[in-house]
PDB file of all heavy atoms in Angstrom:
ATOM      1  N   LEU M  23      12.882  11.596  10.589  1.00  0.00           N
ATOM      2  CA  LEU M  23      12.665  11.891  12.017  1.00  0.00           C
ATOM      3  C   LEU M  23      13.434  10.846  12.812  1.00  0.00           C
ATOM      4  O   LEU M  23      13.014   9.707  12.999  1.00  0.00           O
ATOM      5  CB  LEU M  23      11.174  11.855  12.325  1.00  0.00           C
ATOM      6  CG  LEU M  23      10.331  12.933  11.682  1.00  0.00           C
ATOM      7  CD1 LEU M  23       8.862  12.774  11.985  1.00  0.00           C
ATOM      8  CD2 LEU M  23      10.810  14.331  12.091  1.00  0.00           C
ATOM      9  N   ASN M  24      14.580  11.282  13.304  1.00  0.00           N
ATOM     10  CA  ASN M  24      15.521  10.411  14.031  1.00  0.00           C
ATOM     11  C   ASN M  24      14.902   9.937  15.360  1.00  0.00           C
ATOM     12  O   ASN M  24      14.602  10.761  16.232  1.00  0.00           O
ATOM     13  CB  ASN M  24      16.816  11.195  14.269  1.00  0.00           C
ATOM     14  CG  ASN M  24      17.903  10.348  14.878  1.00  0.00           C
ATOM     15  OD1 ASN M  24      17.692   9.379  15.550  1.00  0.00           O
ATOM     16  ND2 ASN M  24      19.136  10.739  14.606  1.00  0.00           N
ATOM     17  N   PRO M  25      14.780   8.624  15.542  1.00  0.00           N
ATOM     18  CA  PRO M  25      14.188   8.120  16.826  1.00  0.00           C
ATOM     19  C   PRO M  25      15.075   8.332  18.027  1.00  0.00           C
ATOM     20  O   PRO M  25      14.647   8.054  19.151  1.00  0.00           O
ATOM     21  CB  PRO M  25      14.007   6.622  16.532  1.00  0.00           C
ATOM     22  CG  PRO M  25      14.953   6.318  15.422  1.00  0.00           C
ATOM     23  CD  PRO M  25      15.120   7.567  14.639  1.00  0.00           C
ATOM     24  N   ASP M  26      16.283   8.836  17.832  1.00  0.00           N
ATOM     25  CA  ASP M  26      17.156   9.119  18.972  1.00  0.00           C
ATOM     26  C   ASP M  26      17.132  10.574  19.425  1.00  0.00           C
ATOM     27  O   ASP M  26      17.797  10.929  20.404  1.00  0.00           O
ATOM     28  CB  ASP M  26      18.634   8.717  18.628  1.00  0.00           C
ATOM     29  CG  ASP M  26      18.762   7.230  18.425  1.00  0.00           C
ATOM     30  OD1 ASP M  26      18.027   6.445  19.050  1.00  0.00           O
ATOM     31  OD2 ASP M  26      19.567   6.858  17.539  1.00  0.00           O
ATOM     32  N   GLU M  27      16.429  11.440  18.703  1.00  0.00           N
ATOM     33  CA  GLU M  27      16.342  12.869  19.053  1.00  0.00           C
ATOM     34  C   GLU M  27      14.993  13.140  19.727  1.00  0.00           C
ATOM     35  O   GLU M  27      13.950  12.864  19.133  1.00  0.00           O
ATOM     36  CB  GLU M  27      16.484  13.724  17.804  1.00  0.00           C
ATOM     37  CG  GLU M  27      17.870  13.664  17.195  1.00  0.00           C
ATOM     38  CD  GLU M  27      18.038  14.646  16.069  1.00  0.00           C
ATOM     39  OE1 GLU M  27      17.354  15.698  16.052  1.00  0.00           O
ATOM     40  OE2 GLU M  27      18.835  14.347  15.155  1.00  0.00           O
ATOM     41  N   PRO M  28      15.000  13.667  20.933  1.00  0.00           N
ATOM     42  CA  PRO M  28      13.741  13.896  21.673  1.00  0.00           C
ATOM     43  C   PRO M  28      12.680  14.666  20.913  1.00  0.00           C
ATOM     44  O   PRO M  28      11.489  14.320  20.987  1.00  0.00           O
ATOM     45  CB  PRO M  28      14.189  14.635  22.941  1.00  0.00           C
ATOM     46  CG  PRO M  28      15.609  14.231  23.123  1.00  0.00           C
ATOM     47  CD  PRO M  28      16.173  14.047  21.725  1.00  0.00           C
ATOM     48  N   VAL M  29      13.064  15.758  20.199  1.00  0.00           N
ATOM     49  CA  VAL M  29      12.071  16.489  19.450  1.00  0.00           C
ATOM     50  C   VAL M  29      11.460  15.633  18.345  1.00  0.00           C
ATOM     51  O   VAL M  29      10.222  15.640  18.163  1.00  0.00           O
ATOM     52  CB  VAL M  29      12.689  17.758  18.845  1.00  0.00           C
ATOM     53  CG1 VAL M  29      11.752  18.425  17.828  1.00  0.00           C
ATOM     54  CG2 VAL M  29      13.077  18.772  19.922  1.00  0.00           C
ATOM     55  N   HIS M  30      12.276  14.820  17.698  1.00  0.00           N
ATOM     56  CA  HIS M  30      11.782  13.952  16.631  1.00  0.00           C
ATOM     57  C   HIS M  30      10.901  12.845  17.209  1.00  0.00           C
ATOM     58  O   HIS M  30       9.909  12.466  16.553  1.00  0.00           O
ATOM     59  CB  HIS M  30      12.921  13.354  15.828  1.00  0.00           C
ATOM     60  CG  HIS M  30      13.612  14.353  14.966  1.00  0.00           C
ATOM     61  ND1 HIS M  30      14.578  13.974  14.057  1.00  0.00           N
ATOM     62  CD2 HIS M  30      13.523  15.706  14.854  1.00  0.00           C
ATOM     63  CE1 HIS M  30      15.030  15.074  13.425  1.00  0.00           C
ATOM     64  NE2 HIS M  30      14.383  16.128  13.922  1.00  0.00           N
ATOM     65  N   VAL M  31      11.197  12.372  18.404  1.00  0.00           N
ATOM     66  CA  VAL M  31      10.334  11.366  19.066  1.00  0.00           C
ATOM     67  C   VAL M  31       8.949  11.984  19.263  1.00  0.00           C
ATOM     68  O   VAL M  31       7.944  11.318  19.015  1.00  0.00           O
ATOM     69  CB  VAL M  31      10.957  10.892  20.395  1.00  0.00           C
ATOM     70  CG1 VAL M  31      10.000  10.061  21.172  1.00  0.00           C
ATOM     71  CG2 VAL M  31      12.254  10.104  20.098  1.00  0.00           C
ATOM     72  N   ALA M  32       8.892  13.201  19.751  1.00  0.00           N
ATOM     73  CA  ALA M  32       7.582  13.838  19.990  1.00  0.00           C
ATOM     74  C   ALA M  32       6.852  14.060  18.649  1.00  0.00           C
ATOM     75  O   ALA M  32       5.626  13.863  18.610  1.00  0.00           O
ATOM     76  CB  ALA M  32       7.809  15.182  20.683  1.00  0.00           C
ATOM     77  N   LEU M  33       7.576  14.382  17.600  1.00  0.00           N
ATOM     78  CA  LEU M  33       6.949  14.557  16.300  1.00  0.00           C
ATOM     79  C   LEU M  33       6.441  13.192  15.744  1.00  0.00           C
ATOM     80  O   LEU M  33       5.384  13.130  15.130  1.00  0.00           O
ATOM     81  CB  LEU M  33       7.893  15.213  15.308  1.00  0.00           C
ATOM     82  CG  LEU M  33       8.213  16.677  15.623  1.00  0.00           C
ATOM     83  CD1 LEU M  33       9.300  17.186  14.710  1.00  0.00           C
ATOM     84  CD2 LEU M  33       6.976  17.510  15.505  1.00  0.00           C
ATOM     85  N   ARG M  34       7.212  12.128  15.978  1.00  0.00           N
ATOM     86  CA  ARG M  34       6.792  10.810  15.532  1.00  0.00           C
ATOM     87  C   ARG M  34       5.449  10.406  16.178  1.00  0.00           C
ATOM     88  O   ARG M  34       4.638   9.717  15.578  1.00  0.00           O
ATOM     89  CB  ARG M  34       7.836   9.746  15.872  1.00  0.00           C
ATOM     90  CG  ARG M  34       9.055   9.778  14.947  1.00  0.00           C
ATOM     91  CD  ARG M  34      10.119   8.842  15.473  1.00  0.00           C
ATOM     92  NE  ARG M  34      11.085   8.536  14.436  1.00  0.00           N
ATOM     93  CZ  ARG M  34      10.976   7.523  13.575  1.00  0.00           C
ATOM     94  NH1 ARG M  34      10.025   6.656  13.676  1.00  0.00           N
ATOM     95  NH2 ARG M  34      11.910   7.364  12.666  1.00  0.00           N
ATOM     96  N   ARG M  35       5.192  10.873  17.384  1.00  0.00           N
ATOM     97  CA  ARG M  35       3.921  10.572  18.049  1.00  0.00           C
ATOM     98  C   ARG M  35       2.754  11.222  17.341  1.00  0.00           C
ATOM     99  O   ARG M  35       1.599  10.780  17.494  1.00  0.00           O
ATOM    100  CB  ARG M  35       3.981  11.055  19.521  1.00  0.00           C
ATOM    101  CG  ARG M  35       4.804  10.193  20.423  1.00  0.00           C
ATOM    102  CD  ARG M  35       4.628  10.575  21.901  1.00  0.00           C
ATOM    103  NE  ARG M  35       5.828  10.155  22.603  1.00  0.00           N
ATOM    104  CZ  ARG M  35       6.684  11.010  23.196  1.00  0.00           C
ATOM    105  NH1 ARG M  35       6.465  12.261  23.207  1.00  0.00           N
ATOM    106  NH2 ARG M  35       7.758  10.536  23.812  1.00  0.00           N
ATOM    107  N   GLN M  36       3.014  12.267  16.582  1.00  0.00           N
ATOM    108  CA  GLN M  36       1.926  12.970  15.865  1.00  0.00           C
ATOM    109  C   GLN M  36       1.598  12.257  14.541  1.00  0.00           C
ATOM    110  O   GLN M  36       0.485  12.438  14.037  1.00  0.00           O
ATOM    111  CB  GLN M  36       2.366  14.404  15.573  1.00  0.00           C
ATOM    112  CG  GLN M  36       2.565  15.242  16.804  1.00  0.00           C
ATOM    113  CD  GLN M  36       3.068  16.642  16.463  1.00  0.00           C
ATOM    114  OE1 GLN M  36       3.104  17.070  15.328  1.00  0.00           O
ATOM    115  NE2 GLN M  36       3.462  17.380  17.519  1.00  0.00           N
ATOM    116  N   VAL M  37       2.517  11.510  14.003  1.00  0.00           N
ATOM    117  CA  VAL M  37       2.357  10.932  12.674  1.00  0.00           C
ATOM    118  C   VAL M  37       1.080  10.069  12.528  1.00  0.00           C
ATOM    119  O   VAL M  37       0.360  10.183  11.532  1.00  0.00           O
ATOM    120  CB  VAL M  37       3.606  10.135  12.255  1.00  0.00           C
ATOM    121  CG1 VAL M  37       3.344   9.369  10.984  1.00  0.00           C
ATOM    122  CG2 VAL M  37       4.774  11.105  12.056  1.00  0.00           C
ATOM    123  N   PRO M  38       0.668   9.240  13.521  1.00  0.00           N
ATOM    124  CA  PRO M  38      -0.535   8.476  13.348  1.00  0.00           C
ATOM    125  C   PRO M  38      -1.810   9.326  13.164  1.00  0.00           C
ATOM    126  O   PRO M  38      -2.788   8.852  12.579  1.00  0.00           O
ATOM    127  CB  PRO M  38      -0.631   7.641  14.602  1.00  0.00           C
ATOM    128  CG  PRO M  38       0.788   7.523  15.088  1.00  0.00           C
ATOM    129  CD  PRO M  38       1.402   8.837  14.721  1.00  0.00           C
ATOM    130  N   GLN M  39      -1.795  10.570  13.599  1.00  0.00           N
ATOM    131  CA  GLN M  39      -2.916  11.473  13.478  1.00  0.00           C
ATOM    132  C   GLN M  39      -2.848  12.384  12.247  1.00  0.00           C
ATOM    133  O   GLN M  39      -3.761  13.146  11.964  1.00  0.00           O
ATOM    134  CB  GLN M  39      -3.052  12.342  14.724  1.00  0.00           C
ATOM    135  CG  GLN M  39      -3.178  11.582  16.017  1.00  0.00           C
ATOM    136  CD  GLN M  39      -4.397  10.694  16.018  1.00  0.00           C
ATOM    137  OE1 GLN M  39      -5.496  11.116  15.608  1.00  0.00           O
ATOM    138  NE2 GLN M  39      -4.237   9.453  16.460  1.00  0.00           N
ATOM    139  N   LEU M  40      -1.753  12.271  11.515  1.00  0.00           N
ATOM    140  CA  LEU M  40      -1.465  13.157  10.387  1.00  0.00           C
ATOM    141  C   LEU M  40      -2.227  12.788   9.138  1.00  0.00           C
ATOM    142  O   LEU M  40      -2.398  11.572   8.851  1.00  0.00           O
ATOM    143  CB  LEU M  40       0.034  13.042  10.085  1.00  0.00           C
ATOM    144  CG  LEU M  40       0.741  14.237   9.508  1.00  0.00           C
ATOM    145  CD1 LEU M  40       0.585  15.453  10.418  1.00  0.00           C
ATOM    146  CD2 LEU M  40       2.238  13.896   9.387  1.00  0.00           C
ATOM    147  N   ARG M  41      -2.723  13.767   8.428  1.00  0.00           N
ATOM    148  CA  ARG M  41      -3.367  13.602   7.101  1.00  0.00           C
ATOM    149  C   ARG M  41      -2.728  14.573   6.162  1.00  0.00           C
ATOM    150  O   ARG M  41      -2.305  15.652   6.519  1.00  0.00           O
ATOM    151  CB  ARG M  41      -4.862  13.912   7.207  1.00  0.00           C
ATOM    152  CG  ARG M  41      -5.620  13.114   8.259  1.00  0.00           C
ATOM    153  CD  ARG M  41      -5.765  11.653   7.849  1.00  0.00           C
ATOM    154  NE  ARG M  41      -6.429  10.872   8.856  1.00  0.00           N
ATOM    155  CZ  ARG M  41      -5.823  10.168   9.823  1.00  0.00           C
ATOM    156  NH1 ARG M  41      -4.519  10.198   9.941  1.00  0.00           N
ATOM    157  NH2 ARG M  41      -6.469   9.467  10.724  1.00  0.00           N
ATOM    158  N   VAL M  42      -2.657  14.186   4.900  1.00  0.00           N
ATOM    159  CA  VAL M  42      -2.169  15.089   3.870  1.00  0.00           C
ATOM    160  C   VAL M  42      -3.326  15.957   3.420  1.00  0.00           C
ATOM    161  O   VAL M  42      -4.350  15.486   2.984  1.00  0.00           O
ATOM    162  CB  VAL M  42      -1.581  14.311   2.670  1.00  0.00           C
ATOM    163  CG1 VAL M  42      -1.244  15.282   1.514  1.00  0.00           C
ATOM    164  CG2 VAL M  42      -0.327  13.549   3.098  1.00  0.00           C
ATOM    165  N   GLN M  43      -3.143  17.255   3.611  1.00  0.00           N
ATOM    166  CA  GLN M  43      -4.133  18.237   3.225  1.00  0.00           C
ATOM    167  C   GLN M  43      -4.045  18.529   1.724  1.00  0.00           C
ATOM    168  O   GLN M  43      -5.043  18.610   1.021  1.00  0.00           O
ATOM    169  CB  GLN M  43      -3.964  19.513   4.020  1.00  0.00           C
ATOM    170  CG  GLN M  43      -4.954  20.612   3.691  1.00  0.00           C
ATOM    171  CD  GLN M  43      -4.656  21.861   4.486  1.00  0.00           C
ATOM    172  OE1 GLN M  43      -3.521  22.222   4.695  1.00  0.00           O
ATOM    173  NE2 GLN M  43      -5.695  22.553   4.885  1.00  0.00           N
ATOM    174  N   SER M  44      -2.805  18.708   1.242  1.00  0.00           N
ATOM    175  CA  SER M  44      -2.569  18.925  -0.170  1.00  0.00           C
ATOM    176  C   SER M  44      -1.128  18.616  -0.509  1.00  0.00           C
ATOM    177  O   SER M  44      -0.298  18.496   0.352  1.00  0.00           O
ATOM    178  CB  SER M  44      -2.890  20.410  -0.527  1.00  0.00           C
ATOM    179  OG  SER M  44      -2.005  21.291   0.151  1.00  0.00           O
ATOM    180  N   ARG M  45      -0.903  18.461  -1.807  1.00  0.00           N
ATOM    181  CA  ARG M  45       0.426  18.198  -2.335  1.00  0.00           C
ATOM    182  C   ARG M  45       0.675  19.047  -3.555  1.00  0.00           C
ATOM    183  O   ARG M  45      -0.302  19.403  -4.247  1.00  0.00           O
ATOM    184  CB  ARG M  45       0.594  16.728  -2.747  1.00  0.00           C
ATOM    185  CG  ARG M  45       0.588  15.781  -1.544  1.00  0.00           C
ATOM    186  CD  ARG M  45       0.684  14.378  -1.989  1.00  0.00           C
ATOM    187  NE  ARG M  45       2.100  13.984  -2.007  1.00  0.00           N
ATOM    188  CZ  ARG M  45       2.525  12.720  -1.999  1.00  0.00           C
ATOM    189  NH1 ARG M  45       1.686  11.715  -1.927  1.00  0.00           N
ATOM    190  NH2 ARG M  45       3.814  12.449  -1.993  1.00  0.00           N
ATOM    191  N   TYR M  46       1.916  19.393  -3.814  1.00  0.00           N
ATOM    192  CA  TYR M  46       2.238  20.122  -5.034  1.00  0.00           C
ATOM    193  C   TYR M  46       1.841  19.301  -6.250  1.00  0.00           C
ATOM    194  O   TYR M  46       2.063  18.067  -6.278  1.00  0.00           O
ATOM    195  CB  TYR M  46       3.718  20.416  -5.113  1.00  0.00           C
ATOM    196  CG  TYR M  46       4.217  21.625  -4.311  1.00  0.00           C
ATOM    197  CD1 TYR M  46       3.348  22.314  -3.486  1.00  0.00           C
ATOM    198  CD2 TYR M  46       5.515  22.007  -4.387  1.00  0.00           C
ATOM    199  CE1 TYR M  46       3.817  23.424  -2.766  1.00  0.00           C
ATOM    200  CE2 TYR M  46       5.996  23.080  -3.669  1.00  0.00           C
ATOM    201  CZ  TYR M  46       5.122  23.775  -2.872  1.00  0.00           C
ATOM    202  OH  TYR M  46       5.613  24.865  -2.144  1.00  0.00           O
ATOM    203  N   GLU M  47       1.297  19.951  -7.247  1.00  0.00           N
ATOM    204  CA  GLU M  47       0.890  19.202  -8.457  1.00  0.00           C
ATOM    205  C   GLU M  47       2.046  18.863  -9.382  1.00  0.00           C
ATOM    206  O   GLU M  47       1.900  18.063 -10.273  1.00  0.00           O
ATOM    207  CB  GLU M  47      -0.158  20.043  -9.191  1.00  0.00           C
ATOM    208  CG  GLU M  47      -1.476  20.139  -8.427  1.00  0.00           C
ATOM    209  CD  GLU M  47      -2.546  20.868  -9.180  1.00  0.00           C
ATOM    210  OE1 GLU M  47      -2.419  21.003 -10.423  1.00  0.00           O
ATOM    211  OE2 GLU M  47      -3.514  21.306  -8.536  1.00  0.00           O
ATOM    212  N   CYS M  48       3.237  19.421  -9.115  1.00  0.00           N
ATOM    213  CA  CYS M  48       4.381  19.157  -9.999  1.00  0.00           C
ATOM    214  C   CYS M  48       4.940  17.756  -9.792  1.00  0.00           C
ATOM    215  O   CYS M  48       5.736  17.286 -10.570  1.00  0.00           O
ATOM    216  CB  CYS M  48       5.476  20.177  -9.735  1.00  0.00           C
ATOM    217  SG  CYS M  48       6.233  20.027  -8.070  1.00  0.00           S
ATOM    218  N   GLY M  49       4.503  17.075  -8.728  1.00  0.00           N
ATOM    219  CA  GLY M  49       4.937  15.696  -8.491  1.00  0.00           C
ATOM    220  C   GLY M  49       6.167  15.595  -7.640  1.00  0.00           C
ATOM    221  O   GLY M  49       6.648  14.500  -7.402  1.00  0.00           O
ATOM    222  N   CYS M  50       6.712  16.697  -7.118  1.00  0.00           N
ATOM    223  CA  CYS M  50       7.928  16.645  -6.326  1.00  0.00           C
ATOM    224  C   CYS M  50       7.734  15.923  -5.012  1.00  0.00           C
ATOM    225  O   CYS M  50       8.664  15.396  -4.429  1.00  0.00           O
ATOM    226  CB  CYS M  50       8.476  18.055  -6.079  1.00  0.00           C
ATOM    227  SG  CYS M  50       7.452  19.039  -4.941  1.00  0.00           S
ATOM    228  N   GLY M  51       6.485  15.916  -4.516  1.00  0.00           N
ATOM    229  CA  GLY M  51       6.222  15.196  -3.269  1.00  0.00           C
ATOM    230  C   GLY M  51       5.986  16.076  -2.096  1.00  0.00           C
ATOM    231  O   GLY M  51       5.612  15.587  -1.027  1.00  0.00           O
ATOM    232  N   THR M  52       6.228  17.364  -2.236  1.00  0.00           N
ATOM    233  CA  THR M  52       5.972  18.279  -1.127  1.00  0.00           C
ATOM    234  C   THR M  52       4.531  18.117  -0.677  1.00  0.00           C
ATOM    235  O   THR M  52       3.621  18.077  -1.516  1.00  0.00           O
ATOM    236  CB  THR M  52       6.273  19.751  -1.538  1.00  0.00           C
ATOM    237  OG1 THR M  52       7.680  19.869  -1.783  1.00  0.00           O
ATOM    238  CG2 THR M  52       5.856  20.709  -0.467  1.00  0.00           C
ATOM    239  N   ALA M  53       4.317  17.950   0.644  1.00  0.00           N
ATOM    240  CA  ALA M  53       2.969  17.706   1.166  1.00  0.00           C
ATOM    241  C   ALA M  53       2.713  18.602   2.366  1.00  0.00           C
ATOM    242  O   ALA M  53       3.581  18.802   3.232  1.00  0.00           O
ATOM    243  CB  ALA M  53       2.868  16.246   1.579  1.00  0.00           C
ATOM    244  N   TYR M  54       1.500  19.126   2.402  1.00  0.00           N
ATOM    245  CA  TYR M  54       1.034  19.945   3.565  1.00  0.00           C
ATOM    246  C   TYR M  54       0.115  19.066   4.402  1.00  0.00           C
ATOM    247  O   TYR M  54      -0.712  18.340   3.849  1.00  0.00           O
ATOM    248  CB  TYR M  54       0.286  21.198   3.056  1.00  0.00           C
ATOM    249  CG  TYR M  54       1.253  22.146   2.356  1.00  0.00           C
ATOM    250  CD1 TYR M  54       1.498  22.034   1.032  1.00  0.00           C
ATOM    251  CD2 TYR M  54       1.957  23.062   3.106  1.00  0.00           C
ATOM    252  CE1 TYR M  54       2.409  22.906   0.380  1.00  0.00           C
ATOM    253  CE2 TYR M  54       2.866  23.914   2.477  1.00  0.00           C
ATOM    254  CZ  TYR M  54       3.075  23.799   1.123  1.00  0.00           C
ATOM    255  OH  TYR M  54       3.985  24.653   0.515  1.00  0.00           O
ATOM    256  N   PHE M  55       0.281  19.159   5.706  1.00  0.00           N
ATOM    257  CA  PHE M  55      -0.428  18.290   6.615  1.00  0.00           C
ATOM    258  C   PHE M  55      -1.545  19.004   7.395  1.00  0.00           C
ATOM    259  O   PHE M  55      -1.544  20.238   7.533  1.00  0.00           O
ATOM    260  CB  PHE M  55       0.551  17.727   7.674  1.00  0.00           C
ATOM    261  CG  PHE M  55       1.730  16.989   7.084  1.00  0.00           C
ATOM    262  CD1 PHE M  55       3.004  17.262   7.497  1.00  0.00           C
ATOM    263  CD2 PHE M  55       1.540  15.993   6.128  1.00  0.00           C
ATOM    264  CE1 PHE M  55       4.087  16.590   6.977  1.00  0.00           C
ATOM    265  CE2 PHE M  55       2.633  15.338   5.595  1.00  0.00           C
ATOM    266  CZ  PHE M  55       3.909  15.626   6.015  1.00  0.00           C
TER     267      PHE M  55
END
């Protein structure tokens, strides 16, 4: 999330409220929020 892109700045503001709901069990790291 590039801090110089306005859309990414708005998304970065959401990160402190983000929780991982689930992750793929294969270990790839894909995560649902």
Side-chain angles (χ1 to χ4, degrees):
L23 294 176
N24 186 333
D26 296 327
E27 292 186 29
V29 169
H30 289 187
V31 169
L33 291 172
R34 284 173 163 270
R35 286 189 205 114
Q36 296 176 11
V37 171
Q39 302 300 316
L40 210 57
R41 304 290 177 265
V42 172
Q43 180 184 37
S44 64
R45 291 179 91 160
Y46 278 4
E47 292 184 18
C48 67
C50 69
T52 294
Y54 293 90
F55 304 131

